[in-house]
Amino acid sequence: MTGLRPSGGFRAGRRPRGDRGVSILEFTGFLPILLLIGMAAIQLGLIGYGVNQAGSGARAAARAASQQGGPPAGVAAGQAAVSGWLDPQVSPEKGAETTTATVVVHVPGVIPLFGGYDVTRRATMPTDD
């Protein structure tokens, strides 16, 4: 009985020497995929943030333009409601019944091979005249 210990249990067998370092090679091969998934998650988060900011800017611009301030006040309110690094483009249009504001923001690309994305949101408010 060569496998028994004095305590009665079996000894663990020796590990073969041929598989040393395999786990680091597997990790190194899988690392680019993990980085790509992480960057895609960050990109989706940025796009969601851009959609949220564009919607907030469009509502603020439509609200300000529909009141007595007119389109110049709408542009200022829309740009103030959006983070500056998103480069908001605000264009309110005041009509007789409703005022519609359109905000376009540019979300930068995180993944090197893809460019940025433009996100557009519109909001309509009743005109207060």
Side-chain angles (χ1 to χ4, degrees):
M1 295 203 175
T2 59
L4 282 178
R5 290 177 146 177
S7 63
F10 282 100
R11 273 192 309 190
R14 288 183 148 196
R15 288 180 49 190
R17 291 185 174 262
D19 66 352
R20 294 181 80 181
V22 171
S23 62
I24 190 71
L25 289 176
E26 290 173 354
F27 177 72
T28 311
F30 197 63
L31 187 62
I33 296 170
L34 287 175
L35 289 174
L36 187 63
I37 290 171
M39 290 183 354
I42 291 171
Q43 184 67 59
L44 286 175
L46 282 175
I47 290 172
Y49 180 73
V51 167
N52 187 6
Q53 289 287 295
S56 296
R59 284 189 302 275
R63 187 178 308 114
S66 70
Q67 295 171 351
Q68 300 300 327
V75 171
Q79 288 178 341
V82 178
S83 296
W85 61 272
L86 289 173
D87 190 28
Q89 305 298 318
V90 182
S91 57
E93 298 172 8
K94 188 171 183 178
E97 296 287 322
T98 61
T99 300
T100 301
T102 303
V103 175
V104 179
V105 298
H106 181 74
V107 178
V110 175
I111 300 173
L113 298 177
F114 300 104
Y117 301 93
D118 287 336
V119 177
T120 304
R121 288 291 174 254
R122 289 183 180 81
T124 302
M125 298 278 178
T127 302
D128 293 340
D129 280 337

